[in-house]
Amino acid sequence: MSGKKLLTDHFKRYGWIYVFAFVLLASANIIYAFFPRILGQFADELNRNGLTRQAIVLYSLTLLAIGIGYGVLFGFGQYVNHRMGRRFEYNSRQRLFQHFTRLSEQYYSKNGIGKLLSYVMNDVTAVRESIANGVNQLTNASVLLISVITMMILSDIPKLLILSCILPLLSIPILVVYFGPRIRERSKKVQEALAEMTESAEEQFGGIRVTKTFGIEDIAQKRFGQTVDRIKDNQLLLVRMTAMFQAMIPFAGALSLVVAITYGGYLTIEGALSIGNFVALTLYLRMIMNPLQSIGNVINTVQRSRASLDRLNRLLAEKQDIQEAEQAVPLVQGAGDITIRGLSFAYPETDRLSLEQLNIHVPQGKTLGIVGKTGSGKTTLVKLLLRTYDPPRGTVFIGGQDIRDLTLESLRTQIAYVPQDGFLFSTTIRDNIAFYNRQAGNASVERAAKLAEVYDNVAGFTDRFETKLGERGLTLSGGQRQRTSLARGLIKDAPILILDDSVSAVDALTEASILQNLREVRKGKTTLLIAHRISAVKHADEIIVLEEGRIIERGTHQELLSKRGYYASLHEIQEEGVSHG
C-alpha cells in the first residue's frame, strides 16, 4: 500500500460527500459574491434618487438574505469537510497500525518507538489538516475568486480596468513555483526533527529510574534539549520561508487595489465609471484579498503535508521481510515434533554466523533444555522457530513440515513463547494472562496463575485479577511480572512451549514448584527450556550446550555431568554458590 493509495482510497470512498461539501461551499461563495454588486447598486441609487425608506428596506433585506444564505451553506459545508478529515485521520491510523503489525523484527530493531509514534501522531495529523482545511480554503478561495471576477466582467466596469487590476495577481503562480519545493523540504526536516524528539522523549521516560539512580538528570536534560534545539532551528527556517511567501501573495493583492483606486478613481472623475461601480470594484478587490491569503495558506499547508505524505509513503512502502510462500499450508493441528538439520544462520547485514550447523531432534512430548553463555545463539534459535527471522529452507521442520512452507498464523498459533523480560500491557492482570484468548473463563485464568505460582500474589491484591497494571506492569515486582507472563504462555496450552530464561527472576523454591507444574501439565507436549541456571533444565529429556552458535555438548543431565565439560563446570559453580548461600 502506498501513501497515494491512502489518499485515493479515501477520496474514492467518500468522494460523493466531498462533492456535496464542494457544492455547499461553492454556493455559499457565489451568494457572497453578490455583496459588492448590491452595495454598488445601492450607491448608484443613492446618488440618483437620494435616500428612501423603500430602498433602505429592500437593500437591507437583500443583504440579510445574502448573509444568512452564506452563513448556513458555508457552516454546513465546512462541518462536512472537517468531519471527513477526521474520518481520514481515524482510518489512516488504523491502517498504519495494521501495517506496523506486519513489519518484521528487523525493522523495529532499526527504528525507535518515538519515530513510529511520530508517523501516527504528527504526519497523519498534518495530512488530515491539509485535507480538511485545504479543501475548505481552496474551495472558498477559488470559487469566490472566480465568482468575483465573473461579477466584475458582467458589470459595467471597463474591461481594461479589470485587466489592469488582475494583472498583478498573475505573479502568484511564479511565487508558488519558487516557494513550494523549498517549503516542502523544510517541512520534511521539521517532521524528521519531531520524530527524533519523540524518540528521545520515549527513551528518557523509559529510563527515568536509571537516570535518577545515577543522578545524571542534567545529562539527560542536555541530550533531550539537543533534539528540541534541532526542532527550533528547523521550524525557524520554515517560518521564515512561509512568512515571506504569505506576505508576497497579499502584496500582489494590494497592488491590484492600488491600481483600482488610482485608475478607477481617475475614470470616475472623468465620468467613465459610476460611483456605484467604483464602490463595487474596490469591494470586489477587497474581497479578492481574502482568497489570495487563503490560497497562500493552502499552498503552505499542502507543501507541509506533502513532506508528511512522503514520510508515510516510505513507511507504507516497507515490505515485511517474512513472507508466506504462495502455496503456504497450515501446520497440522497438534504437531510438536521439531527437527533441525544443518542449520546455519547469520543476521542480515552481517557475515558472522550466529548459528552454525545445528542438528537437533525433539520428539513430540519431549523436553529440550538449552544452556550457553550470553550471545551463544539461544534466543536466535527461538526467533528462527517463530520465523521472526527466516531460517534457510530445508533446515527447520515441525511435524515433518518445513516451516518456510507454513502459514505464519498456524505456526505461531501452535507455539507459546514466554520471553525473559515478562512484558505486560497496561491493563488488568486477567487481561494480561488471557491475552491470547480474551474470552477465557476465570477458572482458566486462575489455573494458569496457579501453574505459574503467581496466584497467591494476585489473590492478595484488593481487586485480585482485576488489578490494573501501570505501564509495562510496573506495579508488580520483577518476579511477579515474569510469572504473570509465564501464565500468559501456559493458558495458551500450545503443542510447543518455549521458555526463554522465563524463570530467571524467581527464587529457587518457586522455580522448583513451577518446573514441577510444567512437567505435569506438559505431558505429551513439546517444551523447550532456555536457561542459564542448571536447575531449570536438569530434568529435560535432552540438554544441549551452545557456544558461539555451535553445539559443544549434548545429552541428559547425568551424561553431561560425567563428561566434565562446560556444563559440569557451570553446574559445579552454581551448586557451590547455592551451598555457600
Side-chain angles (χ1 to χ4, degrees):
M1 179 184 64
S2 67
K4 290 182 179 179
K5 193 172 189 300
L6 196 67
L7 286 176
T8 55
D9 283 355
H10 175 74
F11 284 118
K12 284 179 180 178
R13 185 175 181 182
Y14 301 107
W16 67 274
I17 299 180
Y18 279 103
V19 171
F20 176 61
F22 175 82
V23 170
L24 291 173
L25 292 172
S27 301
N29 283 283
I30 290 172
I31 291 173
Y32 187 56
F34 280 91
F35 191 86
R37 182 168 185 163
I38 299 301
L39 283 179
Q41 291 174 352
F42 177 72
D44 279 339
E45 184 165 336
L46 180 64
N47 189 44
R48 289 194 303 267
N49 305 322
L51 197 62
T52 65
R53 179 173 300 188
Q54 183 179 3
I56 291 174
V57 172
L58 175 62
Y59 285 105
S60 295
L61 290 176
T62 303
L63 292 174
L64 178 62
I66 290 174
I68 293 174
Y70 172 77
V72 171
L73 293 173
F74 177 79
F76 192 41
Q78 191 173 38
Y79 166 77
V80 172
N81 263 336
H82 278 286
R83 184 179 177 86
M84 288 300 99
R86 294 294 179 180
R87 172 60 61 179
F88 168 83
E89 188 175 50
Y90 169 79
N91 290 338
S92 296
R93 283 174 175 161
Q94 293 282 3
R95 294 176 73 172
L96 278 177
F97 184 79
Q98 184 181 39
H99 185 67
F100 283 145
T101 61
R102 294 173 177 171
L103 293 175
S104 66
E105 182 176 315
Q106 183 182 353
Y107 178 83
Y108 290 104
S109 66
K110 296 178 180 178
N111 296 276
I113 295 174
K115 182 177 180 180
L116 304 182
L117 287 175
S118 182
Y119 285 120
V120 177
M121 301 300 295
N122 301 329
D123 292 315
V124 172
T125 299
V127 178
R128 186 262 300 169
E129 288 177 351
S130 174
I131 291 175
N133 296 330
V135 170
N136 272 339
Q137 293 183 12
L138 186 61
T139 301
N140 292 333
S142 58
V143 173
L144 185 59
L145 199 59
I146 293 171
S147 299
V148 166
I149 293 174
T150 302
M151 296 295 289
M152 290 169 66
I153 292 173
L154 295 177
S155 67
D156 295 330
I157 301 173
K159 304 302 181 287
L160 183 59
L161 174 58
I162 296 173
L163 181 62
S164 300
C165 293
I166 293 177
L167 199 59
L169 306 181
L170 298 180
S171 63
I172 292 176
I174 299 174
L175 295 174
V176 170
V177 170
Y178 177 80
F179 283 99
R182 290 165 174 79
I183 291 173
R184 182 167 67 253
E185 184 60 31
R186 295 189 181 187
S187 296
K188 181 180 176 181
K189 291 181 179 179
V190 168
Q191 293 301 111
E192 290 172 348
L194 282 170
E196 289 178 7
M197 185 205 69
T198 308
E199 190 169 352
S200 176
E202 191 275 334
E203 181 185 69
Q204 297 298 335
F205 293 147
I208 191 66
R209 287 167 179 78
V210 176
T211 300
K212 295 180 75 66
T213 301
F214 281 82
I216 55 171
E217 290 88 347
D218 292 342
I219 296 176
Q221 184 175 356
K222 183 179 179 181
R223 289 182 62 188
F224 181 72
Q226 290 172 347
T227 64
V228 176
D229 288 340
R230 279 194 290 273
I231 292 176
K232 180 195 70 175
D233 294 340
N234 284 307
Q235 284 181 330
L236 287 176
L237 290 173
L238 175 62
V239 166
R240 290 183 195 130
M241 185 64 68
T242 55
M244 189 182 306
F245 175 62
Q246 288 182 304
M248 294 293 286
I249 290 182
F251 178 70
L255 284 179
S256 294
L257 196 58
V258 169
V259 172
I261 292 174
T262 305
Y263 188 21
Y266 170 77
L267 293 177
T268 303
I269 293 172
E270 294 296 317
L273 184 68
S274 69
I275 293 292
N277 281 333
F278 179 72
V279 170
L281 176 65
T282 55
L283 288 175
Y284 279 134
L285 292 175
R286 186 66 188 88
M287 287 177 69
I288 286 177
M289 296 290 286
N290 285 334
L292 292 177
Q293 187 70 44
S294 295
I295 288 174
N297 291 334
V298 169
I299 294 170
N300 258 329
T301 303
V302 169
Q303 294 299 337
R304 295 172 71 172
S305 70
R306 278 191 63 184
S308 292
L309 190 57
D310 287 342
R311 282 167 46 82
L312 292 174
N313 283 344
R314 291 194 298 272
L315 170 63
L316 295 170
E318 289 284 346
K319 301 296 183 183
Q320 57 180 348
D321 297 320
I322 309 303
Q323 299 282 348
E324 289 186 354
E326 291 185 7
Q327 304 298 326
V329 296
L331 178 60
V332 174
Q333 191 67 32
D337 180 271
I338 301 174
T339 301
I340 298 174
R341 300 174 187 159
L343 173 61
S344 295
F345 175 78
Y347 283 101
E349 301 178 2
T350 179
D351 295 328
R352 179 181 174 274
L353 288 175
S354 298
L355 296 175
E356 187 174 351
Q357 289 297 311
L358 295 191
N359 291 282
I360 302 170
H361 180 226
V362 187
Q364 175 98 25
K366 298 299 183 178
T367 298
L368 174 70
I370 306 174
V371 296
K373 299 176 183 177
T374 300
S376 61
K378 302 185 299 295
T379 300
T380 299
L381 178 58
V382 172
K383 291 178 179 179
L384 296 178
L385 285 171
L386 290 165
R387 282 194 69 191
T388 53
Y389 287 88
D390 260 336
R393 184 173 291 280
T395 57
V396 181
F397 301 83
I398 295 180
Q401 297 173 277
D402 190 332
I403 65 171
R404 292 287 297 269
D405 296 326
L406 301 175
T407 61
L408 291 172
E409 182 182 5
S410 68
L411 173 66
R412 293 169 182 172
T413 297
Q414 297 198 55
I415 298 177
Y417 172 54
V418 184
Q420 179 182 3
D421 62 4
F423 176 86
L424 298 179
F425 295 91
S426 299
T427 181
T428 65
I429 294 176
R430 184 204 178 282
D431 285 346
N432 269 285
I433 294 176
F435 180 73
Y436 172 70
N437 178 17
R438 293 296 177 90
Q439 306 305 316
N442 290 333
S444 298
V445 173
E446 292 178 7
R447 177 175 179 271
K450 289 176 180 178
L451 291 173
E453 295 294 334
V454 75
Y455 177 84
D456 291 339
N457 298 109
V458 177
F461 298 143
T462 302
D463 296 323
R464 293 171 61 87
F465 285 90
E466 296 304 318
T467 300
K468 189 171 179 60
L469 302 179
E471 185 180 0
R472 298 179 68 89
L474 294 180
T475 55
L476 300 181
S477 68
Q480 289 170 339
R481 287 203 311 273
Q482 200 171 65
R483 282 176 283 154
T484 302
S485 176
L486 176 60
R488 180 169 59 202
L490 292 175
I491 199 174
K492 191 175 181 181
D493 196 27
I496 299 173
L497 173 65
I498 302 175
L499 304 183
D500 190 356
D501 213 9
S502 307
V503 290
S504 59
V506 302
D507 59 81
L509 290 176
T510 304
E511 178 192 66
S513 298
I514 292 173
L515 294 173
Q516 178 60 36
N517 294 339
L518 285 176
R519 286 194 292 273
E520 293 176 3
V521 77
R522 295 295 299 173
K523 288 180 179 178
K525 295 183 174 67
T526 305
T527 304
L528 271 62
L529 293 173
I530 299 173
H532 287 94
R533 294 202 300 222
I534 297 297
S535 57
V537 301
K538 65 181 182 180
H539 294 293
D541 297 294
E542 184 183 25
I543 302 168
I544 63 172
V545 181
L546 290 178
E547 184 176 288
E548 296 184 352
R550 297 187 301 273
I551 297 175
I552 59 171
E553 296 178 26
R554 69 193 314 159
T556 63
H557 175 68
Q558 291 300 328
E559 289 172 348
L560 290 174
L561 288 180
S562 64
K563 292 181 179 180
R564 307 302 299 169
Y566 173 83
Y567 183 89
S569 300
L570 184 62
H571 176 266
E572 185 176 338
I573 293 170
Q574 292 181 4
E575 286 297 310
E576 183 179 347
V578 170
S579 62
H580 281 302

